Amino acid sequence: MLTEVTATRYVTPLREGGSLPGLVEADDLLPYVMKFTGAGQGRKTLVAEVICGQLARRLGFRVPELVALDLDPVIGLGEPDPEVQGLLKGSGGTNLGMRFLPRALGFDPLAYAVDPVQAGRVVWFDALVNNVDRSWRNPNMLVRDGGLWLIDHGASMIWHHNWRGAAAWATKPYDATDHALARFEPDVAAAAAELAPRVTEELIAEAAADVPDVWLADEPGFDTPDAVRRAYVETLLERATGIHERIELPKAAPRATARTSGWIMYEGAGR
Ligand SMILES: Nc1ncnc2c1ncn2[C@@H]1O[C@H](COP(=O)(O)OP(=O)(O)OP(=O)(O)O)[C@@H](O)[C@H]1O
Ligand SMILES: [Mg+2]
């Protein structure tokens, strides 16, 4: 289960996010990036955030802490922006919170180099969950103190929009040609050797157990939230086996290689 906190103050919208996430303060006095159940993308985006975020953390990636963030829509009444007010009013109850990382910069593949092993791990993980939202246009990674953090897994696991076709996704390829880390010669074979054996039924089930029941209730074709959780586990487990052989990387010569991760220093910089 995720830790449960309650939003006490809406601070500001994060306008760079397509779903209009908001920065809020909660009753534990900590700042969170809040993703709303009432956003156009719907609650499945939040389910994907939890399963993928919790799984990634268990595999050793840095992911800001996720919490179940309770919202009293009354908070929205004083909000001057009608779009924000509508979002708050339509999102009463359990929403998703991600610990806000202060001092973090958005990852930029031209400014920050990633070594092939780390790049391979991220690309392999994104292939597993079929994350289509980690491109060089929209990297959805943050850098703080030299470490790479993964955020925003809402556009993963597309198969949960049509469960009847989910089984076919076990063998579908992953197009990584536009991936933000494609230019760093990602070593996906090494990543698969390390990570695939760790993606067990138990590990995925632990991540799925963290999804609040209310986001899984009334899913067509399933009797209980646990039945939906099992469907996530089965699809991801199947996909883990051979996904690295189906990752499509750019054919052209790689544009950048890096032995170690870190900021790229440009000639003349700092003078
Ligand atoms: N935990 C965090 N700490 C600091 N900044 C964050 C955090 N989460 C998100 N942000 C900032 O807010 C932006 C929007 O967040 P996010 O990408 O999760 O939203 P989204 O609506 O799903 O975005 P997208 O447009 O990619 O679909 C990020 O690009 C980042 O700049
Ligand atoms: Mg984003």
Side-chain angles (χ1 to χ4, degrees), residues 201-216:
E201 192 172 342
E202 293 71 35
L203 197 82
I204 312 169
E206 276 175 33
D210 285 337
V211 179
D213 276 357
V214 280
W215 299 345
L216 300 171

Side-chain angles (χ1 to χ4, degrees), residues 61 114 117-128 134 141 148 150 174 179 181 191 195:
F61 294 95
V114 179
V117 170
Q118 196 181 2
R121 293 179 96 250
V122 176
V123 171
W124 184 87
F125 177 76
D126 285 336
L128 172 70
R134 192 120 53 210
M141 289 181 281
L148 205 57
L150 306 185
Y174 177 69
H179 196 284
L181 303 184
L195 297 176

Side-chain angles (χ1 to χ4, degrees), residues 243-255:
I243 189 61
H244 74 280
E245 284 157 8
R246 296 188 293 277
I247 297 176
E248 293 165 6
L249 285 160
K251 296 235 178 341
R255 284 166 294 157

Side-chain angles (χ1 to χ4, degrees), residues 12-29:
T12 187
L14 292 167
R15 297 239 171 237
E16 66 266 48
S19 68
L20 205 63
L23 184 64
V24 304
E25 192 176 82
D27 56 355
D28 58 1
L29 302 181

Side-chain angles (χ1 to χ4, degrees), residues 12-268:
T12 187
L14 292 167
R15 297 239 171 237
E16 66 266 48
S19 68
L20 205 63
L23 184 64
V24 304
E25 192 176 82
D27 56 355
D28 58 1
L29 302 181
L30 292 172
Y32 293 95
V33 173
M34 187 165 190
K35 299 267 183 109
F36 299 94
T37 45
Q41 291 79 353
R43 65 183 193 177
K44 285 199 179 167
T45 307
L46 308 189
V47 175
E49 290 270 14
V50 174
I51 295 182
C52 301
Q54 299 297 80
L55 190 57
R57 185 175 305 103
R58 283 173 169 83
L59 292 173
F61 294 95
R62 295 184 193 86
V63 181
E65 187 195 353
L66 298 175
V67 296
L69 191 45
D70 191 59
L71 175 74
D72 183 340
V74 134
I75 285 189
L77 290 181
E79 195 47 49
D81 181 328
E83 196 185 356
V84 172
Q85 192 177 114
L87 203 51
L88 294 170
K89 277 191 190 160
S91 302
T94 305
N95 294 269
L96 181 71
M98 176 182 263
R99 260 296 275 283
F100 179 76
L101 274 191
R103 297 181 288 108
L105 298 177
F107 172 80
D108 178 345
L110 298 178
Y112 189 86
V114 179
D115 70 85
V117 170
Q118 196 181 2
R121 293 179 96 250
V122 176
V123 171
W124 184 87
F125 177 76
D126 285 336
L128 172 70
V129 299
N130 199 57
N131 184 7
V132 296
D133 221 358
R134 192 120 53 210
S135 70
W136 54 268
R137 287 180 209 87
N138 187 12
N140 285 317
M141 289 181 281
L142 300 175
V143 180
R144 192 177 75 174
D145 301 333
L148 205 57
W149 292 72
L150 306 185
I151 60 164
D152 193 1
H153 297 102
S156 304
M157 305 192 293
I158 190 171
W159 53 83
H160 67 172
H161 296 287
N162 175 20
W163 280 114
R164 274 198 243 148
W169 277 92
T171 53
K172 284 199 187 167
Y174 177 69
D175 180 1
T177 48
D178 271 354
H179 196 284
L181 303 184
R183 68 199 312 267
F184 299 111
E185 293 191 329
D187 190 346
V188 289
E194 185 218 332
L195 297 176
R198 291 170 61 190
V199 180
T200 58
E201 192 172 342
E202 293 71 35
L203 197 82
I204 312 169
E206 276 175 33
D210 285 337
V211 179
D213 276 357
V214 280
W215 299 345
L216 300 171
D218 308 322
E219 178 68 18
F222 297 89
D223 291 337
T224 60
D226 276 343
V228 193
R229 291 189 177 94
R230 271 196 298 279
Y232 281 103
V233 173
E234 280 163 20
T235 317
L236 288 171
L237 199 56
E238 285 276 324
R239 216 169 142 82
T241 329
I243 189 61
H244 74 280
E245 284 157 8
R246 296 188 293 277
I247 297 176
E248 293 165 6
L249 285 160
K251 296 235 178 341
R255 284 166 294 157
T257 54
R259 285 215 196 93
T260 55
S261 299
W263 297 106
I264 296 166
M265 300 305 285
Y266 292 98
E267 221 176 306

